[in-house]
Amino acid sequence: MPSRRLSCTRVLDGTPGPPMRLRLDELDSFCDDGSDFEATLKVTKRRTKTPSEPRPSKRPKRNASLKLTPSSGSNSTPTPPNSSPPQQSSSPRGTSRQVSPRPVRNGSAGNQGISAKDIYDAVCSGKSAMVTVVDEWLDSYKQNREAGLLVLINFIVQSCGCKGVVTREMLDSMQNAEIISMLTKEFNEDSVNYPLCTPGPQLKHFKAGLFEFVRVVVRSCRNSIIYDEYLFPSVLALLTGLSDSQVRAFRHTSTLLAMKLMTGLVEVAVVASVQLQTTQRQFNMEKNKKPNDRVSDRLEELQTTISELQENREELVSMMNTTFRGVFVHRYRDCLPEIRAACVEELGIWLKTDPEYFLNDGCLKYLGWTLNDKQSPVRLQCVRALQGLYQEKEFIGRLELFTSRFKERILCMALDKDVDVAVEVVNLLLLIQQNTEEGLGEEECGHIYPLVYAVHRGLASASGSFLCNKLKSMITSGNEENANSKNAAFFQVLTSFYIQSEFHEHGAYLVDSLWSIAGSELKDWETMTTLLLQEGGLMYEEEGALIELMMCAIRQAAQATPPVGRSQGKKILSKKDKKIQEQDRSRMTNHFIPLLPQLLAKYSADAGKVSLLLKAPLYFDLEMYGSSRRLEKYLEQLLSQVRSIMEKHIEVSVLDACAHLVSTLCSNNYNFAFRANLVFSQLLDSLSECFTTYLNDLLQGTADEEDTYCAAIALKRIAALSSAKDPTGWKLFDSCLELLKSQMESRELNKELIVPALKFAAFHLMWAKVNVVSSTPPEVELQRLKKEVRLFCRICQTCLPVNQAEIRNQAFEVLCDLLLLYSVSSVHSDPALQALVHLPSDSLRSELAAFLIDYIFNDAEEDEIRAEGEEEKEEEKIRLLQRKRNHLAGYCKLVTYGVLDLSAATDVFKQYSKYFKDFGDIIKETMSKTKLINPMQSAKTVCLSLQQLFSEMLTEDRSRQDLTEIRDLAKRHAMSFGVDLHRIRKPLVALHMDGIRFAFRDPQEGEEQHPNVTFLEILSEFSFKLLQQDRTLLAQFLKSECPSAALSWPTVILYERSLKARFTSKPVEEEGGMDAISSHQTPVPKRRKTTAQGAPASSVTGSWLENGVPSSLHTPALTSTTQKQAAKQPALGEPAEFNVGSKLTEPQSEDEFSSGSRMPRINPVRRRQLSTSRTTPTSEQKGLESRFTLLSLIEDVESEREESEIEEYESDSDTGYTLPSTRHISVLDELFD
């Protein structure tokens, strides 16, 4: 009996029998509305053919009657297949079949060939020659096509992870839906994995091998077998049915195979079209010849070839039509993002491979719709598909409608929350800008420009390429008559952009963004220096911008590293990169050595520009100054210019830049250091003489304003030089000390004198400590130095409470530095220096704590700035916050290094909640360090800080709301103890005991009985961290400390219940007259994120999670571009029609092109506008049972929604890229250095 083919037609009619003719109107319900793919199938009846019938070398082609309806078989969660697929024994039609362990080879037992397992093993290994495997299978198919098809079908089933096997009897007697239903039941119930979701490198090898197998099969069959109207229609029919299954493994694997088959068919169709066109031209040429010139029977042969090629093309189109409508149209919106991404990726290949057939609005609309997909991998594949289209200029005309309708959406995606998508979008916009006639308007380009300042280097580089292309196009279209070269014009437009961008402190990030695309222009030092040295070449603002960009380029060329905050891990330069870096640095040094003195001379009067130029030698190869006598004169010129600049300026930025350069030039690493030391020693001599000249008049109070001014500027320059050069030889410390004493005694404080005097005296004592450590001075010298330190600290202590902020701030800073430098820990390694240890007095400790409360944890200064209401004051507020953070870090270092007792940290710990936004990271780091130093004392310090706040609340008679705030602070402190309950056991017990003693301490005169008993409510916030044995111990301790009458008080009962509660217990219900118990007393076990091994563990629950995590200083106002905004919520009434296993909706026609959302404006972000991004936790997932049942393997719509966990795609306005702050110096890096 002739074998019965796995026909698509029998899937439709539902009954066994021969294939039936289909009417075109039957395709209406199957077609996608608005699609350009119309039914073009010629419906003819195929002739059946027995396997034993000899196959002709060339058979007439007929169009396949294919109409696919996805089967809806039972679903199952797949598992990896068994090692050897069994063969089913023959049984009557319609009865259940058992799986036998014998593998299936071919249709006949006597004809052994390649098996499905052989193909599967070859695909999994990835090492087999796929052509050999396919050729072996084709040989068996040519001998018996039913057996060959059966082998291929079982290979597909095995690739899905199913242990079932399709037998010859099933193939002959059952419909696709019935076969799929039986295969569903064969899944392994102990696992939910299948080959395409196997973790590790196996997945990569399997996917690559599977795709290679499909490609080789199509290529090997493209000349004959592909047109036999049996193999490919049958396989596509099965894949279409599997792709509609609710079993994820079937759906995923079959969809990928169908898409790859479709890609192969498209390639074959393109070749067939080319052959058809070539043959048609030959036919026309032959037909146009004169009858006498024609070759005999040539026209008939060409006509026959044309007819055959047309028939082949039509059959390929029929199969492509079927696959597109039966698989792609439904699966491009599947709930599984991997399936959607695969569909979109292959669609991009079809559009580019066969534009005549696919590149139209009917297919492009799918790319437009998936631009809004919720999952970033799908959006990424969509954008990459569009890149392939916009790269071809001949496609641009067909993309006009798509561009007009989706350009706004693409622009919004430049701020996509997935950085990889944003990078590809910027590259796509560059292609649109380059290849389309209209390109992008200036306003549209304005959305891309600020991304050159983004932290992510890939995004910044892509944006830099976009910006560079735009700038060079402006140069090409502009007038270059006044420009000396293209590079000169490039620098002019670049500086104009930098000035207009208003991100003036991020030149390093702009240069780094352009480095990969415009590195040759940015290293054109000749053009830059020529523009700067010529008169009237640039405007004043342009000169400043060009100098800043030039200095950033010098740093980039010398260090070959991205700026701070943009580096992607630690990158080790290759030998080639190191060689390029050395060459760039050498060429840069040779160019700037003779020209830098000229630049300094020209801009010596401009503090901003000269402070930038003074940084240039820091990146030079300074050894070149001593390598040639020709260059020595330029060293003399440089030293002369630096000295002249110090004598001209008193601005802090200029003096600091000079001091940094002096420190480098005077380093003993260079052979010219003695010359630099000589020049600046002479400068220090003259400055000391000038200061000494006016000192007597200042001490006697007879100095006029001019004398005071001259002495002040001399002292400023001396203080600046003292940071780079040892000033102890000039014996100015005693003079400064006398000046400070006289100023403090007269109470007529002149900050212009006192601030530099404090700086110089502090530097003098620091250099003295350095000299002492490097030598062995006598005991008398040590005692004299200690006396100087003690006297200076007393003077600084008197400066702390003064009204002038500059004086008290400088005094606090130098005190923190000197107390740390002369502490016990600083001389621990050298016992001979124990005499130098200076410990702060009790009065000094009190003054430091008072300064902390009055000027750091106080908003008075900020309120004054805010009251002024001027927008430019925003920078001043940021500077104020930075200064406060530095002061707090200095105080915390005194605590952690043992200069101050741990109890001194109470003033810091009790501000943890109130000032969490500004100082949370510093306070949290301090708490973690104190726990490492002394866990018991740290816990008692936390308790003491809470007791102080509670006492203040009682003293000031504040409301119940203040108690709630203290309890919130206690929650935060409890969270900081971590999750290792055994490690924190003793500290927590000590904390509870101290709290219980405080609650029941004896009342003082005039106080009511036990006024502190309410403190137990605060203490209960720490109970959930206790072990059970410690709870029992504390309950007994409570009864021993608490009077018997107080045991019935609500607060005591509340605390007792917090001790009795277990982790699994529910919160205690509120009783009459009793306060509600905090949820932290009886926490419910929650899933928490795991931390890396060795990292400090911490846990957060409840409202604590909503408050965000500690952050460092917020980005200054002029150092950010974009920020996250509130996510746009989807409309509640938005219609959503889901296909089986699908989550994305498909619009009903081409007219429903999404126009995209409006693009957000990008403006500089102010610090006060920044907020912690909060995410709403999703509902908890149900746990999987240890043993799966068949029902758990079948995915209905609800289970798909839970299991897929498709992340809600927020609006693009919700995502942005903040810029790294060039000003911010991480205090945490220096806090415990």
Side-chain angles (χ1 to χ4, degrees):
M1 184 182 73
S3 63
R4 307 186 58 159
R5 295 184 292 114
L6 186 65
S7 175
C8 306
T9 310
R10 290 194 281 113
V11 179
L12 295 175
D13 54 28
T15 59
M20 300 174 60
R21 291 181 179 271
L22 300 180
R23 299 188 306 271
L24 289 178
D25 54 6
E26 291 179 2
L27 294 174
D28 293 342
S29 62
F30 186 76
C31 293
D32 176 49
D33 293 338
S35 174
D36 285 358
F37 291 93
E38 302 299 335
T40 58
L41 304 180
K42 291 184 179 179
V43 187
T44 60
K45 195 167 193 177
R46 299 182 185 175
R47 56 183 181 179
T48 59
K49 190 176 181 182
T50 60
S52 59
E53 184 178 348
R55 301 182 60 184
S57 59
K58 190 91 172 176
R59 59 184 298 274
K61 303 297 184 299
R62 296 172 183 248
N63 293 328
S65 304
L66 299 177
K67 174 185 173 186
L68 303 179
T69 300
S71 60
S72 57
S74 300
N75 299 349
S76 173
T77 305
T79 58
N82 292 341
S83 59
S84 62
Q87 179 186 12
Q88 289 186 348
S89 59
S90 60
S91 61
R93 291 175 52 182
T95 61
S96 175
R97 293 169 174 79
Q98 301 295 330
V99 178
S100 65
R102 189 178 56 193
V104 172
R105 284 289 185 176
N106 282 330
S108 59
N111 189 12
Q112 297 296 326
I114 191 170
S115 65
K117 184 181 182 300
D118 296 334
I119 301 177
Y120 181 81
D121 293 340
V123 167
C124 289
S125 66
K127 299 178 181 179
S128 303
M130 203 59 65
V131 176
T132 305
V133 175
V134 173
D135 288 344
E136 187 176 352
W137 171 78
L138 283 177
D139 291 340
S140 64
Y141 177 80
K142 292 175 182 179
Q143 295 175 11
N144 189 333
R145 67 178 189 174
E146 284 78 10
L149 174 62
L150 191 61
V151 170
L152 188 59
I153 290 174
N154 281 312
F155 163 70
I156 294 173
V157 172
Q158 195 169 0
S159 298
C160 294
C162 179
K163 65 182 181 180
V165 174
V166 180
T167 63
R168 180 65 173 272
E169 291 76 11
M170 294 171 61
L171 188 63
D172 292 340
S173 61
M174 299 177 65
Q175 304 297 316
N176 282 349
E178 297 172 342
I179 294 175
I180 295 173
S181 178
M182 289 195 63
L183 292 174
T184 300
K185 300 176 183 179
E186 298 294 338
F187 267 105
N188 182 8
E189 298 180 5
D190 296 331
S191 175
V192 295
N193 290 329
Y194 55 96
L196 279 180
C197 73
T198 303
Q202 299 176 358
L203 172 62
K204 182 178 180 181
H205 295 322
F206 178 76
K207 287 185 68 174
L210 188 63
F211 296 163
E212 176 67 12
F213 176 76
V214 174
R215 186 187 68 83
V216 175
V217 166
V218 176
R219 187 180 62 181
S220 301
C221 300
R222 61 185 174 183
N223 293 325
S224 59
I225 298 179
I226 200 171
Y227 306 112
D228 68 354
E229 300 181 0
Y230 177 75
L231 175 63
F232 279 81
S234 300
V235 172
L236 290 174
L238 177 65
L239 293 177
T240 303
L242 290 172
S243 69
D244 199 43
S245 172
Q246 291 179 343
V247 179
R248 177 174 296 184
F250 279 156
R251 201 171 65 251
H252 188 186
T253 309
S254 61
T255 301
L256 261 64
L257 287 172
M259 293 298 98
K260 289 296 178 181
L261 273 176
M262 176 77 167
T263 301
L265 292 175
V266 170
E267 293 173 354
V268 175
V270 170
V271 174
S273 299
V274 173
Q275 292 175 348
L276 180 60
Q277 293 174 2
T278 303
T279 307
Q280 186 65 49
R281 286 197 302 269
Q282 293 175 353
F283 177 81
N284 294 336
M285 291 174 60
E286 190 69 24
K287 187 177 180 180
N288 292 333
K289 291 181 181 179
K290 296 179 181 181
N292 296 332
D293 297 334
R294 295 177 185 172
V295 180
S296 176
D297 298 332
R298 178 61 173 170
L299 282 178
E300 289 77 5
E301 292 178 0
L302 291 174
Q303 184 63 48
T304 303
T305 304
I306 291 174
S307 301
E308 184 175 345
L309 290 174
Q310 288 176 344
E311 187 177 354
N312 290 347
R313 172 69 182 183
E314 289 173 0
E315 188 163 350
L316 291 170
V317 168
S318 174
M319 288 188 287
M320 291 190 299
N321 235 348
T322 300
T323 307
F324 189 88
R325 294 172 180 170
V327 181
F328 176 85
V329 169
H330 299 287
R331 298 280 67 81
Y332 90 95
R333 53 182 182 177
D334 192 275
C335 66
L336 195 64
E338 289 85 353
I339 295 179
R340 302 200 301 272
C343 291
V344 174
E345 180 181 6
E346 298 304 316
L347 176 60
I349 297 175
W350 307 338
L351 291 168
K352 192 172 182 179
T353 304
D354 193 357
E356 295 298 327
Y357 190 72
F358 288 97
L359 191 56
N360 51 62
D361 296 335
C363 293
L364 287 171
K365 66 181 181 182
Y366 297 105
L367 291 181
W369 291 336
T370 49
L371 286 173
N372 297 277
D373 196 278
K374 297 177 182 180
Q375 297 294 326
S376 59
V378 184
R379 300 195 301 276
L380 182 63
Q381 292 298 338
C382 183
V383 174
R384 287 176 176 171
L386 290 173
Q387 288 179 359
L389 298 179
Y390 280 98
Q391 286 174 352
E392 306 296 334
K393 293 187 177 181
E394 58 268 20
F395 295 168
I396 300 301
R398 302 187 184 189
L399 294 170
E400 287 182 356
L401 179 60
F402 179 89
T403 305
S404 63
R405 293 188 178 181
F406 291 100
K407 182 167 64 174
E408 189 172 1
R409 167 61 188 157
I410 296 173
L411 285 166
C412 292
M413 290 177 69
L415 298 180
D416 194 277
K417 63 181 179 182
D418 188 280
V419 183
D420 294 332
V421 176
V423 171
E424 298 299 334
V425 167
V426 174
N427 292 331
L428 173 60
L429 290 171
L430 176 59
L431 292 173
I432 294 176
Q433 171 71 17
Q434 290 176 332
N435 295 335
T436 58
E437 294 182 2
E438 297 180 358
L440 299 177
E442 193 61 35
E443 184 178 358
E444 294 169 334
C445 293
H447 293 81
I448 312 300
Y449 295 155
L451 296 179
V452 296
Y453 299 102
V455 175
H456 190 272
R457 198 179 189 194
L459 178 61
S461 297
S463 304
S465 299
F466 183 91
L467 173 63
C468 184
N469 177 266
K470 185 66 176 179
L471 296 180
K472 290 184 177 180
S473 65
M474 295 171 59
I475 297 172
T476 304
S477 59
N479 186 2
E480 296 186 34
E481 292 181 0
N482 297 327
N484 297 326
S485 64
K486 288 185 178 181
N487 286 353
F490 174 79
F491 285 120
Q492 287 180 342
V493 295
L494 181 60
T495 52
S496 299
F497 166 79
Y498 184 54
I499 293 170
Q500 295 172 11
S501 65
E502 299 181 357
F503 299 106
H504 302 308
E505 296 187 354
H506 286 288
Y509 298 90
L510 174 60
V511 169
D512 182 62
S513 301
L514 296 170
W515 196 255
S516 59
I517 188 67
S520 59
E521 288 87 349
L522 292 172
K523 288 186 287 188
D524 187 1
W525 317 119
E526 292 81 1
T527 301
M528 284 189 277
T529 51
T530 300
L531 289 173
L532 291 173
L533 291 174
Q534 69 181 5
E535 296 296 333
L538 297 173
M539 303 292 291
Y540 177 80
E541 252 187 327
E542 293 175 338
E543 288 179 338
L546 182 57
I547 289 175
E548 184 172 355
L549 293 176
M550 182 180 71
M551 293 309 305
C552 295
I554 289 174
R555 187 208 67 82
Q556 187 85 5
Q559 297 182 349
T561 56
V564 177
R566 187 176 277 182
S567 58
Q568 309 262 330
K570 187 175 180 180
K571 181 182 178 181
I572 301 177
L573 295 178
S574 62
K575 292 183 178 180
K576 181 179 178 181
D577 293 336
K578 287 183 179 179
K579 184 176 180 181
I580 294 175
Q581 176 192 1
E582 293 173 359
Q583 291 175 351
D584 289 343
R585 189 180 183 192
S586 176
R587 189 173 66 87
M588 175 184 67
T589 304
N590 284 325
H591 175 77
F592 277 100
I593 280 180
L595 294 180
L596 183 60
Q598 301 178 35
L599 291 171
L600 291 173
K602 179 177 180 179
Y603 297 104
S604 61
D606 193 312
K609 296 172 184 176
V610 78
S611 61
L612 289 172
L613 290 171
L614 286 169
K615 297 178 182 178
L618 303 178
Y619 305 108
F620 292 171
D621 184 5
L622 294 177
E623 293 180 356
M624 287 190 177
Y625 278 112
S627 62
S628 172
R629 299 182 63 86
R630 180 180 63 86
L631 299 178
E632 290 182 358
K633 63 176 182 180
Y634 298 120
L635 176 62
E636 295 292 341
Q637 295 176 8
L638 176 63
L639 296 175
S640 175
Q641 287 296 329
V642 174
R643 175 173 179 172
S644 174
I645 290 170
M646 289 202 72
E647 292 173 344
K648 282 182 182 179
H649 291 275
I650 59 173
E651 292 84 358
V652 176
S653 60
V654 179
L655 294 179
D656 288 346
C658 289
H660 199 179
L661 180 56
V662 169
S663 176
T664 302
L665 295 176
C666 294
S667 173
N668 293 328
N669 297 329
Y670 306 109
N671 55 9
F672 57 81
F674 72 95
R675 302 172 67 178
N677 275 308
L678 178 62
V679 171
F680 296 113
S681 296
Q682 293 174 353
L683 175 61
L684 199 53
D685 288 338
S686 61
L687 293 174
S688 301
E689 183 179 354
C690 177
F691 171 69
T692 307
T693 303
Y694 302 104
L695 179 62
N696 291 332
D697 294 337
L698 291 173
L699 295 177
Q700 298 174 6
T702 59
D704 56 14
E705 292 183 3
E706 184 176 354
D707 294 342
T708 304
Y709 174 77
C710 293
I713 60 175
L715 197 54
K716 284 183 180 180
R717 291 165 181 157
I718 292 173
L721 270 178
S722 300
S723 64
K725 188 173 175 58
D726 183 5
T728 55
W730 278 262
K731 309 296 182 182
L732 294 176
F733 178 78
D734 294 335
S735 301
C736 285
L737 218 58
E738 293 178 6
L739 177 62
L740 289 171
K741 287 180 181 178
S742 65
Q743 286 287 314
M744 299 306 298
E745 290 172 358
S746 66
R747 309 308 297 174
E748 295 180 0
L749 305 180
N750 187 339
K751 65 179 183 181
E752 300 297 333
L753 284 172
I754 295 178
V755 171
L758 289 172
K759 280 185 179 180
F760 171 77
F763 283 130
H764 176 91
L765 294 176
M766 293 177 188
W767 279 105
K769 174 69 181 297
V770 172
N771 296 333
V772 165
V773 171
S774 59
S775 61
T776 54
E779 186 69 20
V780 178
E781 184 69 19
L782 296 178
Q783 293 296 333
R784 184 189 62 80
L785 180 57
K786 183 176 181 179
K787 181 179 179 181
E788 291 178 350
V789 173
R790 184 170 60 252
L791 291 175
F792 180 70
C793 288
R794 288 178 182 175
I795 293 176
C796 291
Q797 181 179 345
T798 59
C799 294
L800 291 179
V802 300
N803 293 328
Q804 297 190 38
E806 292 86 349
I807 296 177
R808 64 171 180 259
N809 291 335
Q810 188 63 51
F812 185 84
E813 289 175 8
V814 299
L815 266 177
C816 291
D817 292 337
L818 288 176
L819 289 176
L820 192 62
L821 191 62
Y822 285 88
S823 65
V824 177
S825 59
S826 66
V827 296
H828 181 71
S829 59
D830 192 352
L833 300 179
Q834 291 291 336
L836 286 179
V837 174
H838 174 73
L839 299 177
S841 61
D842 292 340
S843 59
L844 179 56
R845 296 170 192 263
S846 300
E847 289 290 349
L848 291 173
F851 183 92
L852 195 73
I853 296 171
D854 295 339
Y855 302 112
I856 297 179
F857 297 118
N858 194 311
D859 298 330
E861 292 182 71
E862 192 169 345
D863 292 337
E864 292 177 5
I865 297 174
R866 190 181 298 111
E868 298 178 10
E870 299 180 12
E871 198 169 319
E872 58 270 13
K873 295 297 182 180
E874 190 69 27
E875 284 189 80
E876 188 174 346
K877 289 191 288 186
I878 295 172
R879 284 195 294 268
L880 174 63
L881 177 61
Q882 179 68 72
R883 192 187 70 226
K884 286 183 177 181
R885 287 173 59 85
N886 289 334
H887 290 167
L888 178 60
Y891 185 86
C892 291
K893 283 199 288 187
L894 295 180
V895 174
T896 55
Y897 280 92
V899 179
L900 301 177
D901 297 333
L902 289 184
S903 59
T906 54
D907 294 321
V908 178
F909 291 172
K910 63 185 180 183
Q911 306 294 341
Y912 186 39
S913 181
K914 184 177 180 180
Y915 290 93
F916 181 79
K917 181 179 179 182
D918 294 336
F919 311 118
D921 55 337
I922 300 176
I923 300 175
K924 185 176 181 180
E925 185 72 11
T926 304
M927 288 192 297
S928 65
K929 291 296 181 181
T930 57
K931 288 182 175 65
L932 295 176
I933 296 170
N934 192 332
M936 295 283 289
Q937 188 62 35
S938 176
K940 291 185 176 183
T941 303
V942 170
C943 186
L944 180 60
S945 65
L946 297 173
Q947 293 173 10
Q948 291 177 359
L949 286 175
F950 184 80
S951 300
E952 293 173 6
M953 182 191 72
L954 294 181
T955 304
E956 300 177 9
D957 194 19
R958 289 186 280 184
S959 63
R960 181 76 181 179
Q961 181 180 359
D962 296 302
L963 180 62
T964 304
E965 293 176 357
I966 300 176
R967 290 187 66 173
D968 290 339
L969 175 61
K971 291 178 187 178
R972 293 198 177 215
H973 282 305
M975 294 284 84
S976 68
F977 278 88
V979 295
D980 189 352
L981 301 186
H982 292 278
R983 184 175 60 84
I984 63 175
R985 179 181 178 183
K986 292 182 179 180
L988 270 180
V989 171
L991 182 148
H992 276 271
M993 287 184 172
D994 282 0
I996 293 173
R997 293 190 188 99
F998 174 76
F1000 295 105
R1001 68 172 177 81
D1002 296 333
Q1004 298 178 359
E1005 295 183 4
E1007 287 186 344
E1008 60 181 6
Q1009 190 71 11
H1010 300 300
N1012 299 336
V1013 71
T1014 313
F1015 185 77
L1016 292 177
E1017 294 186 27
I1018 301 171
L1019 197 61
S1020 65
E1021 299 295 341
F1022 295 89
S1023 298
F1024 76 103
K1025 292 278 187 179
L1026 292 169
L1027 296 177
Q1028 185 59 38
Q1029 55 267 38
D1030 295 334
R1031 294 169 184 263
T1032 305
L1033 176 65
L1034 289 174
Q1036 295 174 357
F1037 182 77
L1038 176 67
K1039 292 180 181 179
S1040 65
E1041 293 289 328
C1042 174
S1044 58
L1047 292 174
S1048 60
W1049 292 353
T1051 303
V1052 179
I1053 296 175
L1054 183 148
Y1055 181 67
E1056 281 185 319
R1057 289 187 176 181
S1058 72
L1059 294 177
K1060 295 177 181 177
R1062 295 179 180 271
F1063 287 108
T1064 57
S1065 62
K1066 297 181 179 179
V1068 180
E1069 296 294 334
E1070 181 178 330
E1071 298 183 1
M1074 186 175 179
D1075 296 328
I1077 297 178
S1078 169
S1079 61
H1080 286 290
Q1081 299 165 8
T1082 56
V1084 179
K1086 294 185 178 180
R1087 186 188 306 273
R1088 65 175 181 268
K1089 295 181 179 179
T1090 58
T1091 58
Q1093 186 175 2
S1098 62
S1099 62
V1100 289
T1101 56
S1103 61
W1104 163 238
L1105 182 60
E1106 299 174 358
N1107 290 331
V1109 295
S1111 61
S1112 58
L1113 176 65
H1114 291 290
T1115 305
L1118 296 181
T1119 59
S1120 297
T1121 54
T1122 59
Q1123 64 175 338
K1124 291 191 175 183
Q1125 302 172 358
K1128 297 180 180 179
Q1129 300 296 333
L1132 294 178
E1134 183 177 356
E1137 299 178 3
F1138 291 89
N1139 185 27
V1140 177
S1142 301
K1143 286 271 180 111
L1144 295 179
T1145 61
E1146 176 186 2
Q1148 296 301 314
S1149 68
E1150 295 179 59
D1151 295 336
E1152 297 187 30
F1153 268 157
S1154 172
S1155 59
S1157 58
R1158 295 187 62 84
M1159 294 173 292
R1161 294 292 298 170
I1162 300 176
N1163 295 315
V1165 177
R1166 304 300 180 187
R1167 181 183 63 83
R1168 291 297 174 188
Q1169 295 173 348
L1170 297 177
S1171 61
T1172 304
S1173 174
R1174 302 177 182 177
T1175 57
T1176 304
T1178 59
S1179 60
E1180 295 184 0
Q1181 302 291 329
K1182 296 182 178 180
L1184 295 176
E1185 299 293 338
S1186 60
R1187 182 174 179 83
F1188 289 94
T1189 62
L1190 180 60
L1191 292 178
S1192 68
L1193 298 174
I1194 301 177
E1195 301 170 331
D1196 54 13
V1197 176
E1198 282 74 12
S1199 63
E1200 279 287 2
R1201 291 177 183 174
E1202 288 184 4
E1203 188 176 350
S1204 63
E1205 295 181 354
I1206 296 181
E1207 179 185 359
E1208 286 296 328
Y1209 174 60
E1210 303 172 10
S1211 170
D1212 289 290
S1213 61
D1214 180 57
T1215 57
Y1217 304 94
T1218 57
L1219 304 178
S1221 171
T1222 52
R1223 296 181 186 172
H1224 173 53
I1225 301 174
S1226 176
V1227 294
L1228 296 182
D1229 293 340
E1230 301 176 353
L1231 188 54
F1232 307 104
D1233 187 7

